[in-house]
Amino acid sequence: MALQSKLFYIRTSFVLVRLSRKFLTKPVANQLSSSLQRVCISRPFFTSRVIMAAPGNRMCWDFTATDIAKRADQLIMKTKAVYDGVGDLKAENVTYKNVIQSLADNDCDYAVERNMLDFCQHVFPNKEMREASVEADKKLSEFDVETSMRQDVFKSLLAFQECNKGDLKPEAKRYLERQIKLGKRNGLHLSKDIQDKIKDIKKRMSDLCIDYNKNLNEENTILEFTEEELAGVAEDFVKNLEKTEAGKCKVTLKYPHYFPCMKKARNPETRKRLETAFNSRCLKENTAILEELVELRQKKADLLGFPTHSAFVLDMRMAKKPEAVKPFLADLAVKLKPLKEKEIKLFLEYKEEECKKYGYKFDGKINMWDMRYYMNMTEEKVYAVDHDKLKDYFPMDVVTKGLLEIYQELLSLKFEEIPGTKVWTEDVKLYSVKDRASGELLGYFYLDLFPREGKFGHAAVFDLQPGCVKIADGSRQLAVAAMVANFTKPLPDKPSLLTFDEVETYFHEFGHVMHQLCAKAEFTMFSGTSVERDFVEAPSQMLENWCWDKEPLNRMSAHYKDKKSIPSDMLDSLVKSRKANAGVFNLRQILLGTFDQRIHTCAKADTAKVLSDLSKEILGIPATPDTNMSAAFGHLAGGYDAQYYGYLWSEVFSMDMFYSRFKKEGIMNPKVGQDYRKWILQPGGSIDAADMLKNFLGREPNEEAFLISKGLNTQEK
């Protein structure tokens, strides 16, 4: 998922935080972005402590909790001075330099410092640092609201637009128009009374989103099970679980624990306990937060003259209006229903057989805690995919080496690890990225791949330093991104062995890193993945296809003991299993997208009831009583509100790009890779996504490849 709002995709508008679709749909985590070097943002900030880790990397990680608060205050003072200067201008005195240049160059500096201070709450091992980051985030978020509501600055922008018709370069013109549109979306063209109401609502929503995500990050529930209750789960997994004094196994609700158990624990009561706890995370506090957010979002939409919050949000997206999203999801659901019915019938056959074999009561239905278990069983029985055996071929070091080689070859890049740099925890790695032909340094990326207490709980790419041009001197600021994940940790007797879902997540998320690093937009506002939210997943979704092709798979795999390749029959089975459970899997995506639209097209919502009703209606599997998965649905407080449909919407484009160019001309074809980099990644958000697609495809996009990928068309390309 790509998070956007103020500074975050999750909350603000300068930092892109990206949460991948697997967050709620596949057994692996997904969410957030990037960071790198060590130069502080401006001279007054700790100049005596600056340590250069890599040229052009302004990231600095050696500050204290007290420093975070001081730097936030300094950042506010510096930025306010810039806005005051623009706001004080008389209409006859506005120029490109004192309006556009002043704001754009401030955007650049502000984003670097803001992202760095904000990032700490998601990754720092030290709780004091995380809490200081949260408090700074709240203060800066309130300041973001204040700056977004500066009517004096808005008037200067309007005055500049009035006297500079047709004199701007395309991206500068886009920047000006976007700033004015955002001003109107904040009510700056309305009365002072309405502006004050909007400001109060925005401040409250900002605090609520921060609290919602903090609650999720700090969630640390542990369930205890006997080894017998975990029967069916891999022996080495159970053996390496932490034990209580009584010898019971401690199982957390973090992805590396939860999903292996849900996929393999044969005891239905074990799965029920786990699923109930998982979908009850932060139940009380975050349900209240989400439902207040729903009300506040609608109140803001009302003040701005939009019928619903969804209508307000989609006005800036490819879909344009809810009336386009509703039939898209509904029509796809109808097409998928026959697949789902066939899959559920098979699940029930497996369940009845298992209940007879092990003496469990057969209730004649598939419950929410059964779903992943029988999806996994289908892959094993129908497609002969044994995920426990398969992961032995995906040690972290081999996957990383192969993945980096593939991306370098495909996009004509060169990566180099930079050892010995200061980072936030010891197992984080930093790499430089250069254009292979010219040697031009494009930027840096961090990899932070293993779980730890208090860390952001999913997988995502964080934009730490936007790649953009400093207008004052024409110099280009390098891009810095961080991929944050929670992959399976090494064991005492084994290296980190990734599940195939984790491999796919790794490949997907790294695609967002490349979007950040390869973009060449001039303005911070359009850097990296700052595209329409319902397109932002498409570039990385397209790259997931490499995980389902034998050549890339062989390059990313080798048995951790003897380095042997994946046996050809195992590889064939894996590739064939791609469409396994397509009905259930995609209907769950439709369920979540529909839920998101439903609650954001009304003034109030009983989120647990809406989710439960839709689960029965769309998926045919009831939500577990007394749970509310939306209390841990981070997208809805992370910049994806009214936009979760975008995962399926963007997949239409991702499949069209893959089938029409890469599959036809060669998946490692450097010419196609260069075209992809030029037409899809390089523009950032400086042009509309629809134009990027037409440039790359040579035509308007269509959904044919998307339907084939879902098993909805017997014709193969």
Side-chain angles (χ1 to χ4, degrees):
M1 146 181 155
L3 312 181
Q4 183 181 17
S5 234
K6 346 173 234 202
L7 243 195
F8 257 155
Y9 250 140
I10 206 167
R11 266 190 307 287
T12 75
S13 84
F14 292 125
V15 180
L16 161 70
V17 181
R18 188 198 161 271
L19 298 173
S20 174
R21 70 186 173 92
K22 298 180 180 59
F23 163 47
L24 294 166
T25 59
K26 281 200 175 183
V28 174
N30 297 335
Q31 270 170 346
L32 284 126
S33 169
S34 77
S35 59
L36 290 138
Q37 260 174 350
R38 313 215 41 212
V39 178
C40 300
I41 180 168
S42 63
R43 292 173 194 160
F45 294 154
F46 310 110
T47 51
S48 63
R49 301 163 91 190
V50 172
I51 301 171
M52 290 299 298
N57 184 348
R58 300 170 66 183
M59 294 295 105
C60 177
W61 307 115
D62 64 348
F63 42 74
T64 66
T66 301
D67 292 337
I68 289 176
K70 290 179 180 177
R71 292 176 75 135
D73 289 339
Q74 289 173 320
L75 181 59
I76 288 171
M77 287 173 53
K78 180 186 174 193
T79 303
K80 185 176 182 300
V82 173
Y83 274 73
D84 287 346
V86 175
D88 287 343
L89 292 168
K90 294 181 179 179
E92 61 269 22
N93 295 330
V94 296
T95 65
Y96 184 86
K97 182 176 181 180
N98 63 24
V99 177
I100 303 300
Q101 179 179 312
S102 292
L103 292 174
D105 283 351
N106 179 75
D107 290 348
C108 179
D109 286 340
Y110 183 81
V112 174
E113 184 77 359
R114 173 73 153 96
N115 296 351
M116 184 165 58
L117 297 178
D118 186 274
F119 186 58
C120 299
Q121 67 186 281
H122 302 290
V123 297
F124 265 56
N126 183 287
K127 187 171 184 179
E128 183 185 9
M129 290 290 286
R130 297 197 304 271
E131 290 178 343
S133 175
V134 168
E135 291 308 308
D137 189 9
K138 287 185 175 181
K139 180 181 287 189
L140 287 164
S141 294
E142 184 167 326
F143 176 68
D144 290 335
V145 173
E146 293 287 346
T147 56
S148 72
M149 301 296 293
R150 291 282 299 255
Q151 193 171 41
D152 54 349
V153 173
F154 181 65
K155 287 180 177 178
S156 292
L157 287 162
L158 288 172
F160 178 77
Q161 184 183 49
E162 183 62 29
C163 64
N164 283 274
K165 296 181 190 248
D167 296 335
L168 299 176
K169 292 180 180 179
E171 191 172 334
K173 184 172 184 285
R174 186 178 178 87
Y175 176 82
L176 175 60
E177 290 172 348
R178 181 67 57 85
Q179 288 281 29
I180 290 172
K181 181 162 187 175
L182 291 174
K184 291 179 178 178
R185 286 170 63 82
N186 284 319
L188 297 183
H189 60 306
L190 302 174
S191 70
K192 179 70 164 54
D193 179 56
I194 291 177
Q195 288 180 40
D196 288 343
K197 290 177 181 177
I198 291 172
K199 184 188 295 187
D200 289 343
I201 289 172
K202 288 181 66 176
K203 287 182 178 180
R204 177 60 180 162
M205 290 194 302
S206 177
D207 283 347
L208 289 171
C209 288
I210 293 170
D211 288 341
Y212 183 106
N213 285 286
K214 179 189 176 185
N215 293 338
L216 279 181
N217 286 351
E218 299 293 338
E219 198 282 330
N220 60 0
T221 299
I222 293 176
L223 302 181
E224 298 176 4
F225 296 98
T226 64
E227 291 192 12
E228 183 180 3
E229 289 172 321
L230 294 174
V233 181
E235 288 184 17
D236 62 342
F237 175 88
V238 175
K239 182 179 73 173
N240 285 285
L241 288 172
E242 188 180 345
K243 306 298 190 294
T244 66
E245 290 184 4
K248 287 191 172 184
C249 302
K250 293 184 177 182
V251 178
T252 72
L253 300 178
K254 306 300 182 187
Y255 287 0
H257 278 193
Y258 178 74
F259 287 114
C261 291
M262 292 305 293
K263 291 173 76 173
K264 295 294 287 186
R266 77 167 66 109
N267 188 327
E269 286 302 314
T270 296
R271 298 197 305 272
K272 183 178 180 180
R273 278 184 64 197
L274 273 166
E275 189 271 334
T276 301
F278 187 77
N279 286 325
S280 299
R281 288 173 297 159
C282 308
L283 180 65
K284 183 177 179 181
E285 58 270 45
N286 277 3
T287 296
I289 287 174
L290 179 58
E291 291 179 358
E292 184 177 352
L293 282 170
V294 168
E295 292 184 36
L296 291 171
R297 287 164 177 165
Q298 183 57 47
K299 286 178 181 177
K300 182 182 167 206
D302 290 339
L303 290 169
L304 290 167
F306 287 88
T308 64
H309 177 66
S310 178
F312 169 77
V313 170
L314 297 189
D315 181 54
M316 297 281 285
R317 304 295 175 250
M318 291 185 79
K320 299 302 181 189
K321 53 188 178 180
E323 290 78 10
V325 173
K326 187 175 180 179
F328 170 73
L329 294 174
D331 292 350
L332 185 57
V334 170
K335 292 173 182 174
L336 287 164
K337 199 163 186 179
L339 287 179
K340 190 253 325 188
E341 298 297 343
K342 185 178 178 182
E343 291 159 8
I344 293 292
K345 182 180 178 183
L346 185 60
F347 292 174
L348 285 169
E349 290 174 8
Y350 290 156
K351 183 173 182 177
E352 185 173 18
E353 183 182 312
E354 278 238 316
C355 288
K356 287 178 181 177
K357 183 176 180 180
Y358 296 109
Y360 302 125
K361 181 182 178 182
F362 179 59
D363 60 6
K365 61 184 178 181
I366 296 300
N367 302 293
M368 198 60 75
W369 59 85
D370 295 323
M371 191 170 70
R372 293 188 190 277
Y373 182 73
Y374 292 106
M375 288 173 72
N376 184 70
M377 188 175 289
T378 297
E379 292 182 29
E380 292 180 345
K381 291 193 173 187
V382 176
Y383 296 94
V385 176
D386 187 330
H387 286 285
D388 286 337
K389 289 182 180 178
L390 189 62
K391 71 181 182 181
D392 289 345
Y393 291 90
F394 291 121
M396 173 67 83
D397 59 341
V398 174
V399 174
T400 299
K401 181 175 181 292
L403 178 148
L404 296 182
E405 287 175 352
I406 290 168
Y407 270 101
Q408 288 175 92
E409 181 179 333
L410 184 67
L411 300 176
S412 299
L413 300 170
K414 182 180 179 182
F415 305 154
E416 183 177 350
E417 185 179 352
I418 303 176
T421 57
K422 176 72 176 177
V423 290
W424 52 92
T425 191
E426 59 185 9
D427 58 0
V428 173
K429 293 182 178 181
L430 174 65
Y431 293 80
S432 64
V433 179
K434 295 180 180 179
D435 178 76
R436 191 167 63 202
S438 68
E440 177 191 2
L441 179 62
L442 302 177
Y444 304 89
F445 64 85
Y446 293 99
L447 295 180
D448 182 356
L449 303 179
F450 298 115
R452 57 184 173 271
E453 186 177 352
K455 182 183 173 183
F456 181 76
H458 308 292
V461 173
F462 290 79
D463 168 25
L464 297 178
Q465 182 172 302
C468 56
V469 173
K470 294 297 291 287
I471 299 175
D473 60 10
S475 63
R476 182 162 191 88
Q477 176 172 277
L478 300 178
V480 177
M483 178 179 164
V484 177
N486 289 271
F487 295 146
T488 303
K489 296 177 74 170
L491 299 173
D493 58 343
K494 286 184 180 181
S496 169
L497 298 175
L498 303 187
T499 66
F500 180 70
D501 284 323
E502 288 177 318
V503 173
E504 194 177 10
T505 294
Y506 199 168
F507 216 87
H508 176 108
E509 294 300 333
F510 197 79
H512 289 292
V513 173
M514 291 297 92
H515 203 167
Q516 292 288 348
L517 273 290
C518 292
K520 287 284 207 170
E522 295 186 1
F523 287 78
T524 298
M525 178 177 281
F526 307 125
S527 66
T529 51
S530 301
V531 298
E532 295 97 318
R533 181 60 54 79
D534 46 8
F535 179 73
V536 72
E537 296 297 332
S540 283
Q541 287 173 331
M542 192 210 69
L543 290 159
E544 288 179 33
N545 287 287
W546 274 250
C547 296
W548 295 96
D549 187 275
K550 293 180 183 179
E551 180 191 348
L553 278 172
N554 276 320
R555 293 176 65 171
M556 290 191 290
S557 61
H559 199 283
Y560 78 97
K561 288 182 178 178
D562 55 20
K563 308 302 180 188
K564 287 185 178 179
S565 300
I566 301 177
S568 58
D569 59 339
M570 187 181 288
L571 203 55
D572 288 339
S573 296
L574 175 64
V575 173
K576 289 176 184 176
S577 74
R578 186 171 192 183
K579 293 178 184 176
N581 307 305
V584 170
F585 177 83
N586 288 290
L587 278 168
R588 186 159 189 272
Q589 284 292 83
I590 291 170
L591 161 63
L592 297 175
T594 304
F595 168 77
D596 179 27
Q597 287 295 306
R598 183 73 57 85
I599 65 172
H600 288 118
T601 50
C602 59
K604 284 186 160 190
D606 180 339
T607 54
K609 185 178 187 307
V610 172
L611 187 60
S612 180
D613 291 346
L614 287 174
S615 186
K616 283 184 265 187
E617 176 189 328
I618 295 172
L619 196 57
I621 301 174
T624 303
D626 302 319
T627 65
N628 185 8
M629 169 267 187
S630 67
F633 193 173
H635 295 69
L636 300 188
Y640 268 75
D641 43 294
Q643 298 163 92
Y644 195 82
Y645 75 92
Y647 285 110
L648 284 168
W649 184 276
S650 60
E651 202 174 342
V652 172
F653 309 126
S654 74
M655 286 302 174
D656 198 4
M657 288 190 288
F658 177 70
Y659 273 74
S660 300
R661 294 294 312 272
F662 285 100
K663 188 171 182 180
K664 187 178 290 184
E665 300 174 47
I667 65 165
M668 295 305 298
N669 185 320
K671 168 63 169 63
V672 185
Q674 283 283 50
D675 284 350
Y676 180 73
R677 180 176 159 189
K678 177 182 179 180
W679 298 117
I680 301 297
L681 303 183
Q682 192 167 302
S686 63
I687 63 174
D688 290 346
D691 293 328
M692 296 183 215
L693 288 164
K694 281 185 280 188
N695 290 337
F696 180 68
L697 295 170
R699 58 166 172 78
E700 296 285 348
N702 64 59
E703 66 174 10
E704 182 183 355
F706 170 72
L707 295 175
I708 290 172
S709 75
K710 300 302 178 190
L712 296 175
N713 193 324
T714 56
Q715 173 192 353
E716 289 293 338
K717 285 197 166 191

